[in-house]
């Protein structure tokens, strides 16, 4: 991940926290934003780990003090949000499940990463209107690149988008 991709990732994630949950109270959006900001305090822009990030599930191997690591942002997000998990019984045993807050924070981080680094359409449930609220100055080219059909000024706000 380049420094420019990192900046885009963080910017998108924080904008999403502030604007993409219109049903959330201002206090809830502030809490989501604070959690996203806290996540980024773990991942410094110019660190070896951040440079090795490729996408949500994988990264390039890097070395620190003789130890080899491979970053996996999905695991970092799970660790960051672990206090919001509870166990749910399934046929195969117990599995951790997040709550609505965990889901909102995770969506912000993943959607930002996917758009900035490696688009995967891994986040559902958002609209063009959500993106427009996030970028009132106009959608940046890097956000709309790759969408089919292309996002235009005529695209309705209620059109769904996979981020």
């Amino acid at each position: 991940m380049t420094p420019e991709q990192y900046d885009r990732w963080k910017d998108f994630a924080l904008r999403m926290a502030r604007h993409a949950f219109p049903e959330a109270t201002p206090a809830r959006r502030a809490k989501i934003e604070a959690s996203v900001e806290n996540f980024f305090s773990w991942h410094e822009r110019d660190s070896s780990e951040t440079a090795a990030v490729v996408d949500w599930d994988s990264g390039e191997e890097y070395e620190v003090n003789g130890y080899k690591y491979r970053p996996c942002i999905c695991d970092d997000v799970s660790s960051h949000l672990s206090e919001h998990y509870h166990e749910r019984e399934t046929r195969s045993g117990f599995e951790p499940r997040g709550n609505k807050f965990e889901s909102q924070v995770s969506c912000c981080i993943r959607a930002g990463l996917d758009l900035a680094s490696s688009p995967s359409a891994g986040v559902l449930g958002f609209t063009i209107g959500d993106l427009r609220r996030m970028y009132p100055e106009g959608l940046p080219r890097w956000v709309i690149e790759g969408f089919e059909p292309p996002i235009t000024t005529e695209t309705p706000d209620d059109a769904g988008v996979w981020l």
Side-chain angles (χ1 to χ4, degrees), residues 6 54 59 61 71 73 77 100 117-118 163:
Y6 175 90
V54 173
E61 190 173 271
I73 294 301
V77 170
K100 184 175 181 179
S117 180
S118 181
L163 304 172

Side-chain angles (χ1 to χ4, degrees), residues 1 6 11 18 23 27 33 39 46 48 50 58-60 80 102-104 109 114 117 130 137 140 150-151:
M1 170 175 284
Y6 175 90
D11 179 67
R18 290 181 204 120
E23 76 290 348
E33 182 181 357
F39 173 82
D46 299 315
S48 297
T50 302
S58 61
E60 298 171 356
H80 174 67
E102 178 274 333
S103 179
Q104 290 169 320
I109 295 167
D114 286 354
S117 180
D130 294 321
E137 68 279 12
I151 298 171

Side-chain angles (χ1 to χ4, degrees), residues 105-149:
V105 172
S106 182
C107 282
C108 294
I109 295 167
R110 180 168 186 173
L113 175 61
D114 286 354
L115 287 175
S117 180
S118 181
S120 72
V123 178
L124 308 173
F126 295 92
T127 66
I128 299 299
D130 294 321
L131 292 176
R132 288 182 177 136
R133 274 192 306 282
M134 291 166 56
Y135 292 93
E137 68 279 12
L139 294 174
R141 188 172 150 199
W142 67 269
V143 170
I144 60 176
E145 287 177 346
F147 282 102
E148 285 298 326

Side-chain angles (χ1 to χ4, degrees), residues 13-26:
L14 289 169
R15 284 175 184 254
M16 189 174 204
R18 290 181 204 120
H19 303 290
F21 304 100
E23 76 290 348
T25 65

Side-chain angles (χ1 to χ4, degrees), residues 54-111:
V54 173
D55 59 32
W56 182 250
D57 297 308
S58 61
E60 298 171 356
E61 190 173 271
Y62 69 100
E63 190 173 320
V64 176
N65 297 327
Y67 294 97
K68 293 183 180 187
Y69 300 96
R70 186 174 301 275
C72 185
I73 294 301
C74 62
D75 291 341
D76 290 350
V77 170
S78 291
S79 293
H80 174 67
L81 296 168
S82 63
E83 69 186 80
H84 300 284
Y85 286 114
H86 60 279
E87 291 201 349
R88 179 175 164 193
E89 189 171 5
T90 65
R91 290 181 193 192
S92 60
F94 287 91
E95 295 180 3
R97 295 284 186 231
N99 60 21
K100 184 175 181 179
F101 176 77
E102 178 274 333
S103 179
Q104 290 169 320
V105 172
S106 182
C107 282
C108 294
I109 295 167
R110 180 168 186 173

